[in-house]
Amino acid sequence: MTSEYNAAQRVLHKLKQNVGEFDLMESTQDSTVVQGAIAQDLQTLSKRISEYRILGRQESNERKRTTMLDRATHMADDHEQLKRRTDKITQRRATRTTHTDERNELFQRTQMGRTQMDTTIAMDAQDEEAFWGRSEQLLDGYIEQGMSSLQNLREQKGILQSAHRRVLNVDDTLGLSRGVIKMINRRTTQDKILLGGGMAVTCILIYFIVHYFG
């Protein structure tokens, strides 16, 4: 009977040490190995306690039977406490791992956001530079068109001034021509009058000649 109890106590002692180490561990890889050992020890201790409880119930001596059952109950309580403690440690470690993962993910997203923001700012700066470049080209084009239009207007002004002078010259020529025509018309009228007067005088002379000498 004593050997079964001592075997259960050795497992219990080892289990307490492993749970204590598991609670203090930081490395996930090492804690996983210890956690596996704890799970195996819990299973072994539960089996030892069940066997020891069966032996206690079979004990014919009342005092020994009571002592063995009490010991089995105490070991079962220790087993349950260690199991709950292990579960709490595992849950706390999982929560801490989750928080760490979330923090790392948030940090990565923040870094990605900063990188995207920097890229966007650089692209905006390039777009702004390209916009001002295009604006300068458009302004240069407008200025060139304006200068060309101004030159065309100056040339057209010169052509109009030359045409105006020609019109004035033609007008002067036409003015002289009108004066000559008027003089010719007056001269023609005078010639007609003289011709008519001459013919009238000639007819009168012919009449008197024929009348007096015919």
Side-chain angles (χ1 to χ4, degrees):
M1 303 295 180
T2 305
S3 60
E4 287 78 1
Y5 176 74
N6 291 334
Q9 284 295 313
R10 285 195 296 271
V11 175
L12 180 61
H13 179 71
K14 179 183 177 183
L15 182 60
K16 289 180 179 179
Q17 287 182 341
N18 288 337
V19 172
E21 292 178 1
F22 180 60
D23 191 12
L24 298 176
M25 280 184 175
E26 295 293 339
S27 175
T28 304
Q29 184 176 2
D30 295 338
S31 64
T32 302
V33 175
V34 175
Q35 187 177 1
I38 291 173
Q40 185 175 0
D41 289 341
L42 285 172
Q43 185 177 1
T44 302
L45 180 61
S46 177
K47 183 179 179 181
R48 295 285 186 185
I49 293 172
S50 298
E51 293 175 351
Y52 188 72
R53 181 178 285 113
I54 292 173
L55 292 175
R57 290 173 181 173
Q58 294 176 353
E59 175 63 41
S60 58
N61 188 301
E62 180 69 21
R63 186 176 62 84
K64 289 183 178 181
R65 182 171 63 251
T66 302
T67 300
M68 293 178 65
L69 292 177
D70 289 341
R71 287 177 177 178
T73 301
H74 288 309
M75 287 190 296
D77 292 340
D78 291 339
H79 175 275
E80 185 64 23
Q81 290 179 0
L82 290 172
K83 184 176 183 300
R84 286 199 302 266
R85 183 181 176 187
T86 302
D87 292 338
K88 289 181 179 180
I89 295 171
T90 302
Q91 184 178 3
R92 185 178 70 242
R93 188 179 298 276
T95 302
R96 184 170 56 191
T97 302
T98 301
H99 290 168
T100 302
D101 294 340
E102 291 177 350
R103 185 171 62 251
N104 293 334
E105 184 179 359
L106 180 61
F107 177 76
Q108 292 177 357
R109 289 182 178 180
T110 303
Q111 291 297 112
M112 291 177 62
R114 290 179 179 177
T115 303
Q116 292 177 354
M117 183 179 296
D118 294 339
T119 303
T120 302
I121 292 174
M123 292 178 65
D124 291 341
Q126 293 177 356
D127 293 340
E128 183 177 359
E129 184 177 357
F131 170 76
W132 287 115
R134 290 193 299 269
S135 299
E136 290 179 358
Q137 291 178 356
L138 290 174
L139 288 175
D140 292 338
Y142 291 149
I143 292 173
E144 290 179 358
Q145 291 180 0
M147 295 296 293
S148 178
S149 299
L150 181 60
Q151 184 65 27
N152 291 333
L153 289 175
R154 289 176 179 174
E155 292 178 356
Q156 292 178 5
K157 181 179 179 181
I159 293 172
L160 291 174
Q161 289 177 349
S162 178
H164 181 66
R165 286 193 295 270
R166 291 179 182 177
V167 170
L168 292 177
N169 292 332
V170 171
D171 185 62
D172 293 339
T173 303
L174 291 176
L176 293 174
S177 299
R178 292 192 190 98
V180 173
I181 291 171
K182 289 180 181 180
M183 290 177 62
I184 293 172
N185 289 333
R186 285 196 298 269
R187 184 63 179 272
T188 303
T189 303
Q190 292 175 359
D191 291 342
K192 288 181 179 180
I193 294 172
L194 292 175
L195 179 60
M199 290 178 64
V201 173
T202 302
C203 290
I204 292 172
L205 289 176
I206 293 173
Y207 173 75
F208 281 111
I209 291 172
V210 173
H211 181 70
Y212 290 103
F213 298 100

